[in-house]
């Protein structure tokens, strides 16, 4: 096994990439060990009607910004959070991914993806809410879903 380290001052985020010819138990063990190293929040503070709620991240469908206000959407409600989207990208675990300039999606909550000529839409189980995916992020989303399916 070869190990390489590349230091690049222009790199915005640390990224670890495993290149392998096949998924061996050794590679799978390494992958899971690295996944456990990423800091994961379990809850996030959110506000609705001047009341603070502590939402489990597993209950959040997506985060969306509108007029500089970031909202966390659950199946039935929307709550305001104090973070910016770029801050959420840094603190959320691997279950979340940016799918548009104004949206971060919980990958565990995807129920269906509808793709048409004009747009791509995500639907959630037991919720009327939907999210539109930017064409720019669609390929990355498909790749992440494929990776998750393989592990």
């Amino acid at each position: 096994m070869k190990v390489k380290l590349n230091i690049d001052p222009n790199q915005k985020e640390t990224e670890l990439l495993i290149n392998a010819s096949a998924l061996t138990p050794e590679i799978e063990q390494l992958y899971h060990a690295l996944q456990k190293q990423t800091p994961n929040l379990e809850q996030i503070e959110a506000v609705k009607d001047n009341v603070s709620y502590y939402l489990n991240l597993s209950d959040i469908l997506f985060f969306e910004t509108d007029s500089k206000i970031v909202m966390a959407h659950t199946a039935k409600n929307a709550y305001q959070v104090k973070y910016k989207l770029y801050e959420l990208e840094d603190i959320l675990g691997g279950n979340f991914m940016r799918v548009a300039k104004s949206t971060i999606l919980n990958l565990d909550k995807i129920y269906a993806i509808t793709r048409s000529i004009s747009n791509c839409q995500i639907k959630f189980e037991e919720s009327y809410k939907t999210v539109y995916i930017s064409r720019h992020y669609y390929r990355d989303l498909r790749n992440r879903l494929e990776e998750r399916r393989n592990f």
Side-chain angles (χ1 to χ4, degrees):
M1 178 185 309
K2 288 194 257 181
V3 178
K4 295 180 181 180
L5 176 64
N6 181 27
I7 305 297
D8 181 2
N10 296 326
Q11 184 78 24
K12 293 180 182 177
E13 181 180 358
T14 300
E15 177 183 35
L16 295 174
L17 176 65
I18 301 171
N19 291 315
S21 60
L23 181 61
T24 64
E26 179 185 46
I27 298 295
E28 191 170 356
Q29 183 181 12
L30 180 61
Y31 174 79
H32 289 297
L34 290 170
Q35 285 288 73
K36 290 178 184 174
Q37 295 297 316
T38 57
N40 282 336
L41 288 177
E42 291 186 18
Q43 291 185 330
I44 191 166
E45 183 179 359
V47 177
K48 181 177 180 181
D49 299 328
N50 293 325
V51 177
S52 291
Y53 296 91
Y54 295 90
L55 304 175
N56 290 327
L57 289 180
S58 60
D59 294 334
I60 295 174
L61 303 175
F62 60 96
F63 292 94
E64 185 177 48
T65 185
D66 184 31
S67 305
K68 297 184 180 182
I69 296 172
V70 177
M71 303 295 288
H73 291 264
T74 61
K76 297 180 181 174
N77 292 307
Y79 304 86
Q80 184 176 345
V81 295
K82 64 180 178 179
Y83 298 101
K84 305 287 186 203
L85 283 182
Y86 69 87
E87 294 171 328
L88 286 169
E89 278 186 299
D90 290 339
I91 63 173
L92 294 173
N95 297 340
F96 288 85
M97 177 184 175
R98 188 179 285 252
V99 294
K101 188 176 179 181
S102 62
T103 308
I104 295 176
L105 174 69
N106 185 344
L107 299 174
D108 292 337
K109 296 296 183 176
I110 295 174
Y111 181 67
I113 299 176
T114 305
R115 185 159 185 198
S116 68
I117 294 172
S118 61
N119 64 30
C120 182
Q121 183 180 30
I122 298 274
K123 294 181 182 179
F124 303 99
E125 194 169 17
E126 299 179 13
S127 179
Y128 65 92
K129 297 181 180 184
T130 60
V131 170
Y132 290 95
I133 304 170
S134 165
R135 285 181 290 166
H136 174 74
Y137 293 96
Y138 180 75
R139 179 169 284 150
D140 291 338
L141 175 64
R142 296 297 297 183
N143 290 341
R144 285 280 296 276
L145 292 175
E146 186 66 29
E147 284 174 12
R148 292 164 61 88
R149 204 171 319 140
N150 290 333
F151 284 104

